[in-house]
Amino acid sequence: MHQSIAKFLLTILLLTALFPAAFAASFEDINQPEVFLKQERNGTCTLASSAMMLRRAAMLRGDENWAESTESSNRDAYWRSGRGLPYVFSYNGFTVGHAFLPGGEANRQVLIDLLAQHPEGIVLHAACVPHGILLTDYTDGVFYCADPSQAIAPGRIPIGEAYGTRIENSNAYWFVSAPALRLDSPLEELCSNLSQQTATPAVSTAPLALASGGVQPLPLDTF
């Protein structure tokens, strides 16, 4: 029992001392109004959206200079004049990739799964509009986004309030392919999880095959 408590305390110390930036930003942090941008020119919606995505990615990595990702700074780094946003590019240590969506209602589950893997959000594009936005999260059954259009309200809004781009009519997206990022977990949640792992298991008289639960495999990437 004493060894379990010692291991628990040592793990907490390691988490706080060795990995101070492992959980660098919370959901509230990356959704502050000042994180989001409006496009500076016509036709740069995907550029502004990618700049917002990379701002949030930098915050999750613990970068203090996350606000340096702007439409102007990113234009010089990876924007292709007359062509737009390239399918694959790098910026500030991040690699960004591109993929196509199946279309229609099938987009819904694909995007839910993507947002679960990418808390920094993804740049969602509907060629039929055409318009690109930052899809930020899927919360309580609603997709939220930040629309760079000057004609749309600033900040995080339901996708139904965005200009034209919707889940069903979108055909492609950009995403941070490396490194993998995650949201901040409160210390009390970490402690709770660790204490459950180090707690003395209860004695069961049930047969082993009935008492043990199967381990579910992790879902595969959708891209």
Side-chain angles (χ1 to χ4, degrees):
M1 182 65 178
H2 292 298
Q3 290 182 346
S4 295
I5 294 174
K7 282 169 136 186
F8 171 71
L9 293 174
L10 180 60
T11 303
I12 292 294
L13 287 173
L14 287 172
L15 283 171
T16 55
L18 297 181
F19 305 105
F23 309 105
S26 68
F27 181 84
E28 289 73 21
D29 293 331
I30 64 173
N31 285 302
Q32 298 174 81
E34 57 267 30
V35 174
F36 302 113
L37 301 169
K38 290 298 182 182
Q39 62 192 83
E40 300 170 5
R41 306 178 184 178
N42 290 332
T44 58
C45 53
T46 54
L47 175 58
S49 295
S50 64
M52 290 190 282
M53 177 179 70
L54 290 166
R55 280 181 159 215
R56 286 158 51 104
M59 294 177 77
L60 291 169
R61 193 173 61 181
D63 297 354
E64 294 183 355
N65 61 343
W66 58 266
E68 294 181 5
S69 175
T70 65
E71 180 174 326
S72 297
S73 68
N74 292 25
R75 180 184 293 109
D76 295 336
Y78 54 79
W79 184 252
R80 301 292 180 263
S81 180
R83 295 168 55 194
L85 202 63
Y87 279 1
V88 179
F89 60 90
S90 296
Y91 179 83
N92 192 30
F94 295 107
T95 301
V96 175
H98 175 276
F100 291 101
L101 289 162
E105 187 60 31
N107 287 352
R108 184 177 179 83
Q109 191 58 53
V110 172
L111 294 172
I112 290 173
D113 293 342
L114 280 167
L115 289 171
Q117 299 165 24
H118 295 279
E120 68 278 8
I122 62 173
V123 177
L124 188 64
H125 187 252
C128 62
V129 178
H131 189 53
I133 61 175
L134 176 67
L135 195 65
T136 59
D137 61 284
Y138 179 73
T139 301
D140 295 332
V142 178
F143 286 97
Y144 289 88
C145 70
D147 191 331
S149 170
Q150 295 282 356
I152 301 300
R156 174 178 172 265
I157 60 173
I159 194 171
E161 299 177 13
Y163 174 74
T165 301
R166 299 292 183 267
I167 298 304
E168 294 79 13
N169 69 0
S170 296
N171 66 297
Y173 62 93
W174 283 263
F175 63 102
V176 175
S177 58
L181 300 163
R182 63 180 298 178
L183 284 169
D184 179 23
S185 291
L187 185 59
E188 58 268 22
E189 180 181 330
L190 290 174
C191 293
S192 175
N193 291 338
L194 288 169
S195 64
Q196 291 176 13
Q197 294 174 14
T198 57
T200 304
V203 177
S204 174
T205 58
L208 183 59
L210 296 178
S212 61
V215 178
Q216 297 298 319
L218 292 174
L220 297 176
D221 286 344
T222 57
F223 44 82

